[in-house]
């Protein structure tokens, strides 16, 4: 079968690989019918996340179950399914608390030996361990373009506001309108945000956020803090999502948040960063950082998509063939695409 | 000034009364510009809630501040304001926990000596104690018809789902589509319910719920349990709102709710009632009963109305003059109106 | 091997049975070193819970792992382990929400075909499915008498107060001082209850509760409502645990609870019962009914036992041999024992 | 009357001042019978918190109500009372959400014009605004030494663990064993912590924490991270309290916390600080920073003190007379005292 493999920074290549085989009793084998290219794939492409040469990448997928082990109970051979971006054992101390994203035996698809040694989804077929936890049936009538995001980027947007404890009627600001930020905008509005300030410096993304129902705020041509304060009786918003993942947006998030509010840091922070601790302390803020717990959210996300309240399809700017993967990564690297879907 | 007063079961009358005067430092005096007739007014009208003859009734209102004591800080003379249906001291042990609806010194407008001895809002002017807690400025551009429900029937609908811990993507059933039930339908959808089953036996109300986005289910011509189970993989819904307030709908609520789900009993229960305790225990349900904590919710409710996500205006079927109060109560008593707004 | 089997109402018998064998990859085989006789065993003994003649009963156990399937990761052959009273798949929709007690594929040990067809623990050996979820290592130095309750009666006592959201400093009342009620008393005090009213009519149980640190209140010789009100400035307690499971204690629980407080109904309710709905509604109460989610709590319960903050050992009034099971059930049936531990 | 006033960095002085008079209807006048010197007083003493020369300092107090305005309902003339360290209006948007520590009109006793212009408690008499919110009756039999900490340092220790969502059975680490850290140790144990690691470099404080039931860990002579990991199966603790309030202890807190755990930063952070954002993100941590919400906790704290589960009295190392205030501050500044109580 064909598989998109990482070779070296800046280089991915289609390779021919043997079809994977079922191992554990809760494994499933999937014929991949659509896979997405994600911002974290770009981190791998850039060599920022170390992945072995020849490793298959990709972690967003929709497909059909070709085979399933004896313990697979939630999906069956022939089912059209979507996957979460990682697996979880469901039984370690962390999983039993519901923190599936921090599973002690968790494995991320297509992220190399270091993050679980689990071959990726940009391929003709995919072996899915812990299928009961990782896979869900695609609700009838839901398109591939939409379903494949429920367990990754849309699940992350949902997490960003749910984990912040956003309540219906709250005000929200979202910093960074990449795919995750745009999904957070949708999730906030779906969950009852009365106003969402969508902040970025790319006009096209601001326009898309406005189209979703948010108030677009240009990062540099406007003053986000002034805009937000003016619209909130000088209080700031209840919840701020930092979808960038760096010290500067986090500092801005602290400045935009109301007293005793919550900052949800969903972007991938790295290393150390300078934080306005004094201001955060004076305001009495809660900061919640980390990867999204998509396994905990995927059923609700699917329900919201099915109800038409979430719709990731506008994010898909390009459809390409698996064989065109090298070109697709080049386009994505040049930031010409928001989201690329690969089909066989 | 004119005031709508209870006289005897089945009889209300306009009486001339002296204009109230400010007493405590946090009192405010309001010129009432619109007041609503509510289901609980009908309980008074029927003599089910004992109220002294001559007592002014009514507890939903919008108006303008005519005078305010020295400690009134959140609204000012000349402000257009709306009120919550009751006052709370904000400082007793219960209020400091946030349970304003159970304030140890709470008083309900227009409900007689027993519930705080606070004259009602169906009058030309109204004295509002605890004005900082009870009143809110009407956001610019919001009509009377809409604003006057934020602190009563729509606040109650919001409470019904918020207090149940409804999450974005959850499924909900609402039993009883009177004004509170219809508001709960709207609040559930605004807060991200992926599906709301609206159950009643009155076609017109079912149609209105459907218009709001709910799935109407006829109480007797369909089988609510079968419908709900069929749509939820036999699990039942995450949250059930009983907006009727009696043992029979509560029993149905228990039967419609999924395992470990929540039943929110917002209707006014009285006396004792037979409950399917065994089934509720087997399912591991949470039942949350009680009056709504509208003071805790009113700001978010106003934000949602302002954002266009809640809109109680379709509930208003009749506009009448204060002088027509007797006729208005008669119409309401004959169930010909869903909601009547009285203006001076 | 020997196994205690149900034969007919009032009759249990030791039978010789084949040693069970591992089936699924997450099965474990346990040599049972101690098992408890529980109140729910008595329900079976009385024929109230239908169990097939010849079915092995018992669901509290400590032992050593004799064999384990390939997927068993949390315990290993040779480990001394304790079990929860039921298994859960950890992967169904209910489990993924953390409601392990309502697992869609859950099975209770020793409760017959109807509740999962899982042979019980009062035997020489026990087959444990879902071993990663069901079993825990016994912390070093912890005695059998103590460890075997962590996953059943003490886990239930912990659940009773945790599920009610009890906070450190809260006041609590516990109705019914059987083993579960006494464990709830301990759990409340361990979790910071400032005062626990322990209500029963058996002097010996009241004395034991007092010994644990509770204020004993005789159900009939004192007036629980008067005592509780006098000690709480007439407010009632924050949390009431009904450890009996019937309409009458539930009604008393409603009367003892403060406004906006929580009643935790952990006893096994059956059928329908008359509930003071009006009073519960007026007070704005939350009622949480259901079996305990011991799988979610067992690690914390073990930590508390290890720290000396929970100690179920005083509950054990009798130690008997497995061969004496028939006599043990007779003693328990005569209410001469609080808790009986069977050893090989 | 006599009052301890700030004069210049390093200089406090007793001054004679006029007795304060009641102003607002919810003011109370207190005869101060004991007041504490707190770490934040030392910040003022050092000139780090700007206070006007001649301003009366002090914010921990116990005394008797000499006079009360017409709206004071929760305490009465002649009552022995204790105070919280700040006032709150109870009615602004922030207070109505329960975040009294961020009251939009809040005032801190003895912290100068900038923080509410409210004269302090180290004086013969004290004017207390918002008396219904700020004051509580001292339970019978509770000594001054104990009661005066409920609304300040012990309330802060309680908040540190409660705000972190600590559950009964959790493991906790406390960084910094000044009075707040030691109170957090007690509050964690009272609330059911199964193990508390108390970390500092002062032997005497470590010994006191050990005496309370904690596991003392020397900051530099031991390796806290190694000790904590060894005792928690390498997972880290559920909750870490940073009672110091600086970037270095916060970084250590992040390293000690388990995945998806909570860091409670209760110390007074200032300015900016470097935070290990990458590690905090990888672990999926929640950081909750800010001043304590003592008004929300004071009733539960008093109940716990009354029940003997919290006892701040060991913190009091010195009793001195109000007239000795200058010497008291000098002793405190030399770190010779843990807590000094001033009496008339």
């Amino acid at each position: 079968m064909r598989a998109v493999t990482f070779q070296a920074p800046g280089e991915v290549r289609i390779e021919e690989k043997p079809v994977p085989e079922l191992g554990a009793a809760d494994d499933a084998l999937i014929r991949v019918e659509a896979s997405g290219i994600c911002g974290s794939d770009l981190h791998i492409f850039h060599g920022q996340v170390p992945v072995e040469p020849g490793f298959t990448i990709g972690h967003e997928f929709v497909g059909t179950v070709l085979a399933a082990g004896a313990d697979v109970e939630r999906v069956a051979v022939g089912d059209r399914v979507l996957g979460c971006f990682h697996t979880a054992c469901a039984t370690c101390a962390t999983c039993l608390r519901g923190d599936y994203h921090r599973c002690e035996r968790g494995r991320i698809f297509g992220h190399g030996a270091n993050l679980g040694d689990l071959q990726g989804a940009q391929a003709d077929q995919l072996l899915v361990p812990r299928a009961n936890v990782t896979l869900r049936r695609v609700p009838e009538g839901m398109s591939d373009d939409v379903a494949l995001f429920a367990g990754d980027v849309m699940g992350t947007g949902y997490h960003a506001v749910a984990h912040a404890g956003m309540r219906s009627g709250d005000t929200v600001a979202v910093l960074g309108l990449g795919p995750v930020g745009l999904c957070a905008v949708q999730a906030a509005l779906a969950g009852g945000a009365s106003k969402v300030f969508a902040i970025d410096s790319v006009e096209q993304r601001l326009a898309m956020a406005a189209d979703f129902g948010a108030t677009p705020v240009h990062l540099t041509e406007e003053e986000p803090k002034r805009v937000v304060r003016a619209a909130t009786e000088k209080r700031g918003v209840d919840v701020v999502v930092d979808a960038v993942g760096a010290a500067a947006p986090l500092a801005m998030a602290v400045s935009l948040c109301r007293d005793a509010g919550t900052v949800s840091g969903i972007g991938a922070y790295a290393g150390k960063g300078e934080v306005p601790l004094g201001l955060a302390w004076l305001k009495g803020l809660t900061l919640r950082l980390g990867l999204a717990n998509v396994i905990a959210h995927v059923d609700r996300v699917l329900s919201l998509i099915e109800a038409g309240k979430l719709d990731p399809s506008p994010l898909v700017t390009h459809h390409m063939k698996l064989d065109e993967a090298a070109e697709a990564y080049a386009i994505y690297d040049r930031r010409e695409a928001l989201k690329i879907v690969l089909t066989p």
Side-chain angles (χ1 to χ4, degrees), chain A residues 12-319:
Chain A
V12 300
R13 186 195 304 162
I14 295 281
E15 285 188 356
E16 196 64 23
K17 290 195 170 185
V19 165
E21 283 173 30
L22 294 186
D26 58 354
D27 281 355
L29 185 66
I30 306 297
R31 180 180 65 230
V32 178
E33 284 149 4
S35 63
I37 300 182
C38 178
S40 19
D41 292 322
L42 216 55
H43 292 153
I44 295 172
F45 184 72
H46 290 153
Q48 291 158 344
V49 173
V51 162
E52 295 70 28
F55 205 92
T56 307
I57 54 182
H59 56 275
E60 297 174 322
F61 62 97
V62 166
T64 296
V65 180
L66 296 177
D71 290 356
V72 176
E73 299 167 298
R74 296 193 71 182
V75 298
V77 172
D79 282 354
R80 191 164 154 255
V81 296
L82 66 113
C84 295
F85 73 87
H86 72 98
T87 68
C89 74
T91 64
C92 69
T94 309
C95 281
L96 284 179
R97 272 195 304 262
D99 297 319
Y100 303 107
H101 55 315
R102 300 305 310 144
C103 172
E104 297 177 1
R105 291 187 283 269
R107 306 168 71 187
I108 303 185
F109 288 99
H111 273 68
N114 205 30
L115 290 167
D117 204 11
L118 188 54
Q119 298 293 326
Q122 294 166 5
D124 282 316
Q125 293 189 29
L126 175 70
L127 184 70
V128 178
R130 316 280 188 189
N132 292 317
V133 175
T134 314
L135 298 176
R136 290 293 182 285
R137 272 194 212 98
V138 178
E140 229 168 292
M142 191 179 292
S143 76
D144 287 356
D145 272 22
V146 165
L148 66 74
F149 298 123
D152 188 61
V153 73
M154 188 52 93
T156 298
Y158 181 97
H159 176 92
V161 294
H163 199 54
M166 192 202 80
R167 302 178 61 174
S168 179
D170 276 357
T171 52
V172 176
V174 176
L175 288 170
L177 301 177
V180 165
L182 286 166
C183 286
V185 165
Q186 280 199 1
L189 289 165
S194 58
K195 191 156 246 184
V196 176
F197 300 92
I199 305 170
D200 201 308
S201 54
V202 180
E203 289 297 349
Q204 184 189 1
R205 295 177 174 197
L206 288 164
M208 192 175 288
D211 208 49
F212 293 164
T215 303
V217 183
H218 196 286
L219 179 66
T220 53
E221 293 175 10
E222 300 183 78
E223 290 171 54
K225 190 176 165 187
R226 199 189 46 72
V227 172
V228 165
R229 282 171 60 88
T232 55
E233 304 182 51
K234 298 192 183 172
R235 289 195 176 105
V237 290
D238 298 300
V239 167
V240 188
V241 174
D242 172 18
V244 180
L250 187 61
M252 174 172 280
V254 167
S255 79
L256 298 181
C257 197
R258 71 156 163 83
D259 278 18
T262 301
V263 171
S264 184
I266 199 70
Y269 301 86
K272 295 178 179 182
E274 202 177 64
V275 175
L277 290 172
L279 183 58
W281 185 83
L282 270 176
K283 286 187 161 191
L285 299 189
T286 298
L287 314 181
R288 311 205 76 176
L289 308 179
L291 215 61
N293 189 0
V294 292
I295 289 169
H297 305 310
V298 66
D299 292 316
R300 276 186 288 261
V301 169
L302 283 169
S303 296
L304 287 165
I305 294 176
E306 218 182 342
K309 298 198 165 193
L310 295 177
D311 177 11
S313 63
L315 302 181
V316 181
T317 52
H318 292 65
H319 286 89

